[in-house]
Amino acid sequence: MSAAAVRAVHNLSPHSRTPVPRRARRAPTPRRRPLAPSNASKGDDNPMGSFPEGGLAALNQDDLPAMRRACLKVATDAAKLGAAVMLDKLGADVVKTKANARDLLTEVDPEVQRIVESSVVAAFPTHGFLGEESVPGGWEAGSAAIARLLDTGPDWLWIVDPIDGTTNFVHGVPLSAISIGVAYKGELQVGVIMDPFAGEIFSACLGGGAHCNFAPMRVGEERSGTEAVVVTGYGATAESADAMLKGMKALTDLPVRSVRMLGSAAIMLAWVAAGRLTAYFECDLNAWDTAAGALLVREAGGRMTDLVTGDEYDLKTRAIVASNGATHDELRKCLVDGGVRALADYFKE
C-alpha cells in the first residue's frame, strides 16, 4: 500500500461537514477527500454513537439500536481499509471472468472482500457473511445464495460487494464502490457505501436517516417524470440489455429530463439517496448490489420496490426501481408499460 493511500485513510472526521444545499437538500459532490477511521465519540451529532465498556463483545445482540451503531462503526472502518487498497490499485488487471467474458474479476475484489470479512469476523464471530466473491456467477447462484442464508443462516447477516463497478475499476474509471449491508432476521439495519475516489461515505441506520460524510442527506425534490434524471444499467446478458433498452426507450418517450448509465449500482443508489439522481432501474441485481443502497434510499426519504410487481424491496428482490418517492409510481408504470421485465421472466417463456 502506498504512502499516499495510507494517508488517505486518516483525514475524514465526522466533524468536518459540507453544508447541504437548501433547496434540494442534496449531498454535495466534494473534491476528492482523504478518509480516516470512524469517530465513535459520544457527540450527539455522531450517527455511530458510543459503546459500552468492554467494547463490541459486551453488546446484547438483540439490542437493535446498540447493534446498529456497532455494525455501522465496523462497516465504516472496514470500508475505509478496503478503500485504501482500491485507491492504490485502480486499473488492476482482470484475473478471470465469471458468468461470461463481460463478468470481470480482478485480484483486488477478493482482497477487499477478505478485509471486510476479517473485520466482521473479528467483531461479530457469530454473524453470517455473504460476499459476491464467494458465489459463482449467474443470477440463479446469487438468488440461491441469499435465499439459503435468509432461510437457514444466523439472525445477523452481512451482505457485501467488495467492488461494485468492477468494469469501471478495470478500465481506470473512478466510479466504483464498496457496498456493505447488514440485516437482522431479513430486515436491513445498516448500509454503508464507500466511494474511495470521491472520498465519500454514504451511510444509514434503520430509523436514523441517511448521511453523506456524516452529514444528513435527502432525496431530490423532483415532482414529475419530466423533471427526472434516471439512471440504469444491465448485466452481462442479452436479456438484461433488452430490458435496459426498452426502459430507456420508454423513458425518453415520456420524456424524462435525461437517462444515464454510471456502471455501479451502489453509486447510483447512493446518488438517488443524495438527491443527485431522481431514480434508478435495472432488471436484475444481486442482494450485494442493492442491500446497502436500498436502506440509504429509504432512510433518505425515497422508495425502492420490485420493478415489475411494485412490492416493497426485500433482500430477494432482483428487478428494482429506486426513486425519490414523488416520481416513483409514474416512472415504474412507464417502464412496465414499455415492456421492461425482470430477467427471470425471460426464462419462463
Side-chain angles (χ1 to χ4, degrees), residues 8 11-20 26-36 38-39 45-48 72 76 80 191-204 210-218 270-271 274 276 296:
N11 245 357
L12 178 63
S13 163
H15 304 294
S16 5
R17 307 182 186 248
T18 310
V20 179
R26 293 175 180 168
T29 305
R31 296 178 181 177
R32 176 166 158 178
R33 187 188 301 212
L35 308 172
S38 62
N39 185 329
D45 57 353
N46 183 0
M48 296 186 201
L72 178 60
T76 302
K80 288 172 181 175
V192 170
I193 292 174
M194 165 69 76
D195 178 351
F197 308 105
E200 291 186 311
I201 308 168
F202 300 91
S203 59
H211 299 81
C212 176
N213 287 353
F214 309 101
M217 67 180 183
R218 295 285 294 176
W271 285 13
R276 299 171 190 169
L296 286 170

Side-chain angles (χ1 to χ4, degrees), residues 1 12 90 148 183 227 251 265 269 348:
M1 190 181 302
L12 178 63
L90 179 65
R148 183 174 61 254
E227 299 176 277
L251 292 168
L269 288 168
K348 295 177 181 177

